[in-house]
Each structure stands twice: as C-alpha cells, then as structure tokens.
C-alpha cells in the first residue's frame, strides 16, 4: 500500500513540475500582443491585421483607479474606471472580434503613465481595502467587456515595493482563483523605482504572472541590435523564469526600432529559443502606417518554431 502511494506521489510531482505552465521553461512561442485605445484616435479592433498563426492579445489601455473628473482626477483606492476609447472599443466590439477570430483574447491594462495630464500613481490606502475594491470593480468591468486577462502597467508609486507586491499579487491571485481571468502580465521598464516595485512583485508572485511585457522601447532612441540583446539578457535575469516578450513602439519613442534591426534581434532570439513573443505600443500609433510592423511581427512569430 505504501509503495503505491509513493508511486502515485511521484507521478503527481512529475506532472506539476513538467506539465504545469507555471514551471515550464520559456522557449519560442507565437504570442503577439498590442495595446489599444489610450490615444482616442478612433482605432478599432477590426482595423488591426490578425494572423491566424499567432495567439493574439489586444490590451485595452487603460483602467485606472482614479475618478473620471476631467479637471483633476484623484485616486480611488482600487475603484477602477475605464479610461480607454469606449466609443470604438465597446463590449460588443470585444465579442465581435473574438467571435471572428478564435485566436484572439482581450485584456485590460491597469495604470499607465498619466491620467488627466498628470502622473497616474499607485496610491492604496491599505492592502486589504485596495484589493477588495480592485477585485470588485475589475470583476465588473472584465465581465461587462468579456475580457480574458489583465496587464499591470503602473509607472508611478506612492507606496513601497512590498505594498505594491502584496496588492497586485493578491489581486491577480484572487481574480484567477475566482475564474475571472486566465492570464496576467506585468509591464516594467528600466527605471530604478519602477524595477524595485516590479521585482518585489516578481519575487513573491511570479507563479501567477504569465508574461512580462518589458518596455524595451523605453531605452534610448538609437538602440543597436547588440545593445538590445544585452538588455534582453539583463531583464531575463531580473525576471528569472519569466516569459519575456520583445517589444517596440510605433509612437516615435526609443529602443530598437523596426527600421534599425528589431526583427534581426528577434530572429537572433528565435535561433536561441528565447522569442516568447512580441508586443507593440500601440495600435493607436500604428493606424497611420497601415500596421506594417504588426504584419511583419506576426509573420515572424507564425513561422513554425
């Protein structure tokens, strides 16, 4: 009897270690993600080309725990409101794009850089009250819009790293346990304050974070392929075991641009088995060039690993 228990235990442990996505070693995959809706230029889901050979995530930008006041928005301690272009990116538009493309999922991103022209701060009154409010308000929004996941993109903080880690970690864990979301991502960039908060979150809650949308476009303009490869390696060590996506901006920001070798770097990553996916900021900015680089990104990712 004891021997049979040991054998069963062995197979359970083997399954958890080798089959669970939490423990799976990152490798090449076909995740393409794009932020949409922050700039109110009438971009629609249906404007963006979607390759059938990728897993495509739209990320609505942003839901923010601030009041909707146009003059001076103020923090609401986890009571989230929708700040994306709701004229074009509606619940029915979400349902339509998901019905049209079985490979599409839609998430929302929390925070962002600014609200009403001022910095958007992570500013909880307490861990428990913030988490309670956030779970309640986000569950309502996620169900209303038929969403699949969340992204964490706070960039300014009026709370220490541990408080941030506990609030966000408990939020993601609760939403997953309640069956409200199926995936979560974080969107740090290379800034000491930002990194201290996200590394604390990663240290305690990496097991519930599916993707790291590292903002490589926040590096200096004119980044070279070799510099990008170094940056990528550095961030892989900071978010060890994480599924880190390569990224570029179409808003004229920094980093390694498609014109200067981004896809060369992606091909190098792919040859090393390190190209989990690509994400873009943002569909709003890409609309004017016909989504040229979104097409190129997805074509690269869709090539069999």
């Amino acid at each position: 009897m004891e021997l049979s228990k040991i054998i069963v235990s062995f197979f359970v442990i083997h399954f958890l270690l080798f089959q669970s996505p939490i423990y799976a070693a990152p490798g090449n995959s076909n995740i393409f993600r794009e932020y949409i809706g922050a700039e109110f230029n009438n971009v629609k889901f249906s404007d963006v080309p979607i390759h059938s050979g990728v897993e495509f995530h739209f990320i609505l930008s942003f839901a923010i725990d601030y009041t909707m006041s146009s003059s001076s928005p103020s923090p609401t301690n986890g009571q989230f409101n929708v700040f994306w272009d709701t004229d074009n990116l509606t619940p029915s538009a979400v349902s339509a794009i998901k019905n049209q493309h079985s490979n599409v999922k839609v998430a929302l991103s929390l925070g962002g850089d600014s609200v009403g022209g001022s910095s958007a701060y992570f500013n909880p009154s307490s861990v428990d009250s913030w988490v309670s409010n956030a779970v309640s308000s986000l569950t309502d929004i996620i169900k209303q819009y038929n969403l699949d996941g969340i992204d964490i993109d706070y960039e300014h903080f009026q709370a220490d790293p541990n408080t941030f880690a506990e609030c966000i970690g408990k939020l993601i864990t609760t939403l997953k346990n309640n069956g409200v979301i199926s995936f979560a991502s974080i969107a740090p960039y290379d800034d000491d304050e930002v990194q201290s908060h996200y590394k604390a979150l990663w240290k305690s809650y990496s097991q519930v974070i599916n993707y790291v949308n590292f903002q490589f476009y926040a590096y200096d303009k004119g980044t070279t392929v070799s510099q990008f490869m170094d940056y990528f390696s550095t961030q892989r060590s900071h978010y060890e075991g994480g599924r880190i996506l390569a990224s570029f901006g179409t808003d004229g920001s920094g980093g390694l641009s498609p014109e200067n070798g981004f896809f060369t770097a992606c091909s190098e990553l792919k040859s090393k088995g390190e190209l989990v996916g690509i994400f873009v900021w943002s569909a709003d900015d890409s609309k004017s060039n016909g989504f040229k680089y979104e097409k190129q990104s997805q074509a690269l990712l869709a090539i069999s690993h």
Side-chain angles (χ1 to χ4, degrees):
M1 191 69 178
E2 290 304 311
L3 180 60
S4 64
K5 286 182 181 177
I6 291 168
I7 291 170
V8 169
S9 297
F10 170 82
F11 281 109
V12 169
I13 291 166
H14 183 273
F15 177 84
L16 289 173
L17 286 174
F18 295 103
Q19 302 301 320
S20 168
I22 293 169
Y23 295 99
N28 291 334
S29 70
N30 63 343
I31 309 291
F32 180 79
R33 319 187 85 206
E34 181 144 43
Y35 290 87
I36 188 169
E39 296 170 20
F40 290 81
N41 66 355
N42 297 316
V43 68
K44 300 176 175 64
F45 296 124
S46 56
D47 293 335
V48 184
I50 297 167
H51 194 300
S52 61
V54 303
E55 181 176 333
F56 194 113
H57 296 176
F58 283 109
I59 305 175
L60 291 162
S61 312
F62 291 94
I64 314 174
D65 54 332
Y66 268 68
T67 59
M68 300 291 286
S69 164
S70 56
S71 56
S72 56
S74 57
T76 57
N77 189 40
Q79 295 278 7
F80 281 87
N81 289 302
V82 169
F83 282 84
W84 62 76
D85 179 2
T86 54
D87 288 342
N88 292 288
L89 305 171
T90 61
S92 61
V94 171
S95 295
I97 201 68
K98 288 170 71 171
N99 289 336
Q100 189 179 352
H101 298 277
S102 61
N103 58 321
V104 167
K105 294 183 170 67
V106 185
L108 59 74
S109 187
L110 307 185
D113 176 57
S114 61
V115 57
S118 300
S119 293
Y121 283 94
F122 177 74
N123 187 17
S125 300
S126 68
V127 171
D128 289 347
S129 63
W130 189 92
V131 171
S132 177
N133 289 339
V135 167
S136 175
S137 59
L138 287 172
T139 296
D140 289 345
I141 294 169
I142 289 164
K143 288 185 174 179
Q144 179 190 358
Y145 279 82
N146 186 26
L147 304 180
D148 304 287
I150 64 170
D151 175 66
I152 310 300
D153 189 27
Y154 282 104
E155 302 184 1
H156 308 282
F157 307 90
Q158 289 179 337
D160 63 84
N162 186 61
T163 299
F164 177 72
E166 288 306 306
C167 285
I168 300 300
K170 287 179 177 177
L171 169 65
I172 295 171
T173 301
T174 304
L175 291 177
K176 283 191 167 187
N177 287 346
N178 290 351
V180 176
I181 60 171
S182 59
F183 60 84
S185 57
I186 58 173
Y189 61 95
D190 191 34
D191 170 89
D192 287 347
E193 184 185 32
V194 170
Q195 290 277 61
S196 68
H197 285 74
Y198 283 93
K199 284 184 193 175
L201 172 60
W202 185 257
K203 182 178 179 182
S204 298
Y205 288 97
S206 63
Q207 72 275 11
V208 297
I209 298 167
N210 302 85
Y211 310 104
V212 180
N213 280 13
F214 198 87
Q215 298 182 48
F216 289 102
Y217 45 83
Y219 285 105
D220 290 342
K221 229 175 185 177
T223 295
T224 65
V225 171
S226 62
Q227 286 173 324
F228 179 91
M229 296 300 287
D230 287 343
Y231 296 151
F232 194 90
S233 178
T234 297
Q235 301 312 327
R236 283 188 88 219
S237 68
H238 288 161
Y239 299 93
E240 190 172 356
R243 304 185 75 195
I244 299 175
L245 279 71
S247 63
F248 63 90
T250 54
D251 59 347
S253 56
L256 178 60
S257 67
E259 299 91 340
N260 291 339
F262 176 79
F263 293 110
T264 300
C266 286
S267 295
E268 285 190 32
L269 291 173
K270 194 159 191 173
S271 70
K272 296 163 68 176
E274 295 177 3
L275 186 63
V276 169
I278 295 170
F279 80 89
V280 182
W281 177 273
S282 68
D284 307 56
D285 299 296
S286 298
K287 186 179 177 183
S288 61
N289 74 3
F291 303 97
K292 174 182 178 182
Y293 297 122
E294 282 80 353
K295 293 173 187 173
Q296 194 170 346
S297 298
Q298 292 177 74
L300 173 65
L301 292 168
I303 298 167
S304 64
H305 308 331

